[in-house]
Amino acid sequence: MRCLLKRQTLLAVLLGLALFLLPSLYPTDASIMTLSALAALNGIRMGTAVSFPALQQDERYRDVLAREFRQLTPENEMKFSRLHPEPERYDFDKADTLVNFADTHGIMVRGHTLVWHSQIPDWVKAARSRDAAIALLRNHIQTVVGHYRGQVMAWDVVNEAIADSGRLRDTVWLRQIGPDYIGMAFRWAHAADPNARLFYNDYGGEGLGRKSEAIYRLVSSLVEKDIPIDGVGLQMHLSLQNAPDASDVATNLQRLGELGLETHITEMDVRLALPASEQDRLAQADLFRTMLSTCIAADSCSNFTTWGFTDRYSWIPHRYKDFGAALLFDRDYQPKMAYAAMLEALDPET
Ligand code: 9MR
């Protein structure tokens, strides 16, 4: 009799426990329907660029970020001039804050960017010799990648090294070191964190054409020389007039994949002339849906990142007068048609 009572108590406790745990084991529809949760089911990590000031001052920004995305790219805080403003001084404070936020929320970090022609301090441009330029770039890469070893999942090691003409861009790095700076940068980054995935990242080479040919040739030659490159980031800053053909993007993703490289869509936005018409917003939604579907369908494409998520903090109006409304959420964090289109791409049943 005592034994029976004990068994009944145990069963009651187990039942209570199960009822208590059930909601967290089986999340409600609302929590399943986030971009990142659906993306994960498609084998894709969903990311966004993050504005440091917005993260600091705007609670709604932090909430939507943590809810919808599983990866973040610091929009500016890991660029050369921010991290290494003086030869002997590194400043990791803001970037660390971003990385800690990511850590706390189970979000991965995409490091952006180690070698770029923009946002570099004047003292770098004043290097006196090739050897001095090599030494300072090596020091920068080793220090930064070493600092974030194990915390940054992927690095945009070299950003935008190819000009629109298809030739190597005339940058301070090319002038001071020569074309070898690209391979050197990958080798130093790999030595500093052998587990980080290393990317070449560029814009305007998403589809087929002169620039994408040049990117393909560059990364093929890196692979051929056994330089530790893991993938190519295609930025995807689009307007309704310049969008690449989805089938060209698919061909490009496939040929890069055949080199053994991973592909990431790294900075997608679609700028619209303001005020945005209903027709333009529909066309924009269609582009987000099509490019995400193209990534899902490509074996090489494992990551889809937008350059911010709310129109409140997008870079577009600062750069393109009378353009904006380029992202998935409006200024008040309401999801736009583009957001619904992304959900559709991830779950054709919706
Ligand atoms: O969004 C970034 C903006 O806040 C900066 O002022 C700008 C500086 O050049 O860089 C923007 O981000 C760029 C990214 O780092 C590389 N690809 C193009 C992005 C948009 O210009």
Side-chain angles (χ1 to χ4, degrees):
M1 180 70 173
R2 252 192 38 216
C3 178
L4 196 67
L5 263 181
K6 253 195 188 161
R7 232 186 24 227
Q8 278 172 348
T9 319
L10 188 66
L11 276 175
V13 170
L14 283 177
L15 190 67
L17 201 65
L19 285 174
F20 175 72
L21 286 176
L22 206 59
S24 55
L25 290 176
Y26 297 98
T28 59
D29 276 352
S31 66
I32 279 184
M33 294 293 285
T34 63
L35 286 177
S36 49
L38 281 176
L41 298 176
N42 287 275
I44 302 279
R45 184 174 299 280
M46 191 63 67
T48 178
V50 166
S51 146
F52 180 78
L55 190 81
Q56 287 287 92
Q57 71 205 2
D58 188 338
E59 192 181 344
R60 286 188 300 167
Y61 185 90
R62 292 192 292 274
D63 288 348
V64 177
L65 169 61
R67 187 184 75 217
E68 298 284 347
F69 299 95
R70 279 293 148 268
Q71 182 211 268
L72 67 81
T73 308
E75 186 172 353
N76 287 301
E77 269 59 38
M78 286 187 177
K79 290 173 179 171
F80 203 124
S81 58
R82 301 290 175 97
L83 288 182
H84 196 176
E86 292 168 39
E88 304 302 328
R89 185 166 71 86
Y90 284 87
D91 180 357
F92 289 111
D93 285 358
K94 291 184 176 166
D96 284 357
T97 303
L98 285 168
V99 172
N100 290 337
F101 177 89
D103 223 35
T104 313
H105 293 86
I107 294 175
M108 296 222 174
V109 179
R110 203 161 194 294
H112 175 86
T113 172
L114 298 168
V115 191
W116 192 25
H117 60 276
S118 185
Q119 289 178 293
I120 39 179
D122 286 343
W123 66 267
V124 166
K125 298 174 198 153
R128 292 235 198 93
S129 64
R130 178 171 190 263
D131 284 351
I134 290 176
L136 80 83
L137 186 58
R138 185 199 295 125
N139 178 287
H140 178 78
I141 292 177
Q142 284 172 344
T143 308
V144 171
V145 177
H147 181 85
Y148 290 114
R149 188 182 168 118
Q151 290 184 293
V152 165
M153 161 205 83
W155 278 103
D156 288 331
V157 177
V158 177
N159 193 42
E160 302 172 7
I162 294 173
D164 297 342
S165 65
R167 298 162 63 110
L168 280 186
R169 186 187 293 276
D170 180 18
T171 68
V172 63
W173 307 114
L174 185 68
R175 260 175 276 143
Q176 289 181 340
I177 302 178
D180 287 350
Y181 82 86
I182 297 176
M184 289 176 183
F186 278 92
R187 290 213 158 99
W188 295 325
H190 182 66
D193 185 352
N195 292 322
R197 312 283 294 161
L198 305 182
F199 280 72
Y200 175 77
N201 190 50
D202 214 328
Y203 67 85
E206 294 83 9
L208 297 175
R210 192 157 53 186
K211 188 136 179 197
S212 100
E213 279 302 316
I215 295 172
Y216 181 75
R217 275 201 309 274
L218 170 69
V219 298
S220 305
S221 80
L222 298 178
V223 169
E224 225 163 77
K225 289 184 218 150
D226 268 338
I227 285 167
I229 176 172
D230 296 295
V232 175
L234 300 173
Q235 294 184 6
M236 202 72 86
H237 290 291
L238 306 183
S239 71
L240 294 180
Q241 289 71 37
N242 77 353
D245 201 86
S247 67
D248 287 355
V249 175
T251 307
N252 198 24
L253 294 177
Q254 177 163 348
R255 68 175 175 171
L256 291 166
E258 282 163 6
L259 292 175
L261 296 173
E262 206 178 325
T263 56
H264 288 179
I265 305 301
T266 50
E267 306 187 12
M268 183 156 179
D269 51 21
V270 182
R271 59 183 177 273
L272 300 180
L274 296 177
S277 68
E278 174 87 359
Q279 196 188 0
D280 282 2
R281 287 186 290 122
L282 265 170
Q284 176 190 55
D286 207 45
L287 270 175
F288 273 104
R289 178 184 18 244
T290 310
M291 293 307 163
L292 178 53
S293 301
T294 306
C295 171
I296 294 170
D299 289 342
S300 67
C301 192
S302 53
N303 185 303
F304 195 95
T305 294
T306 54
W307 205 240
F309 55 93
T310 163
D311 294 337
R312 183 174 278 263
Y313 301 111
S314 160
W315 71 293
I316 294 289
H318 304 285
R319 169 74 179 278
Y320 298 94
K321 193 173 169 312
D322 300 328
F323 279 79
L327 294 167
L328 304 177
F329 293 84
D330 70 12
R331 298 178 57 84
D332 295 315
Y333 297 94
Q334 294 309 305
K336 296 163 43 177
M337 274 193 272
Y339 176 88
M342 295 267 283
L343 286 183
E344 260 173 53
L346 294 165
D347 181 5
E349 306 281 289
T350 56

